[in-house]
Amino acid sequence: ALSAFSADHTGRAALLEAAPLAGLCALLRLLRATCVRPGAFCYLLITTLANLALNERAARDLLAEGAAELLVEFVQSRTVTLQPPSLLSVLGLRPARRVRANMGGIATRALINMAMVVPRGSGRNAVRNAGALEKLQELHWVTEDHAVRMIAGDAIRLLGGAQPNLQATG
């Protein structure tokens, strides 16, 4: 519910009034420490952080909370399965549809939002100093998901890195 609420401008504003950023980062740290394979809940939590990072104040607060360093750890090509409920699945008339999502793609989107929203390059510097560039280049190289490769490439360009060459040498 938080990720859907945070996707809307008015929902995002209401969430930011409640100042949940420190708690959301703490929860993500706890999940990172206790989950061997982060799944759908981590994905939705990162989606919420990515949406909230569209706000300059929230992006600054996330950077201050160490969210860039935390999110860099999720920049990997890991597919998670989401089962969003629908009215028909809640009523038991049809099973929930499974949706596949890439953890690295949404973590990359969250890093891009923090880097872009904070002005005068300080967001970019903070994300770059968190070690994001190397992880993004690795993600760009190893993922087979075209959309994730595209967003990783955008993030690499945004941070001023060299685009990895995917063509075979020889």
Side-chain angles (χ1 to χ4, degrees):
L2 276 178
S3 68
F5 199 54
S6 68
D8 176 66
H9 176 70
T10 55
R12 194 167 36 252
L15 275 175
L16 290 172
E17 287 301 314
L21 299 175
L24 293 173
C25 287
L27 180 57
L28 190 57
R29 280 187 190 91
L30 177 67
L31 290 170
R32 182 199 63 213
T34 59
C35 295
V36 175
R37 281 188 59 90
F41 187 66
C42 284
Y43 179 88
L44 293 172
L45 188 55
I46 293 170
T47 301
T48 302
L49 292 176
N51 290 337
L52 294 175
L54 291 169
N55 175 281
E56 182 182 339
R57 186 188 78 201
R60 286 182 189 280
D61 291 348
L62 285 168
L63 290 171
E65 284 291 327
E69 292 84 357
L70 179 61
L71 289 166
V72 163
E73 296 181 31
F74 288 95
V75 175
Q76 53 190 289
S77 189
R78 172 169 290 157
T79 302
V80 296
T81 302
L82 308 175
Q83 289 185 305
S86 67
L87 178 59
L88 293 175
S89 66
V90 170
L91 295 174
L93 300 174
R94 181 178 72 202
R97 291 187 179 148
R98 292 180 178 207
V99 178
R100 296 173 62 81
N102 191 297
M103 187 80 72
I106 194 61
T108 300
R109 171 51 57 200
L111 289 168
I112 287 173
N113 291 352
M114 284 190 288
M116 289 297 294
V117 171
V118 179
R120 292 184 286 285
S122 60
R124 287 183 184 144
N125 288 336
V127 170
R128 199 174 15 248
N129 291 340
L133 195 53
E134 295 79 13
K135 290 293 282 189
L136 290 165
Q137 288 171 330
E138 180 183 323
L139 176 65
H140 189 274
W141 179 258
V142 302
T143 189
E144 294 178 9
D145 186 319
H146 179 70
V148 173
R149 184 173 289 134
M150 295 283 291
I151 196 168
D154 289 347
I156 292 166
R157 281 188 295 282
L158 170 72
L159 297 175
Q163 194 74 13
N165 184 2
L166 295 177
Q167 297 184 2
T169 58

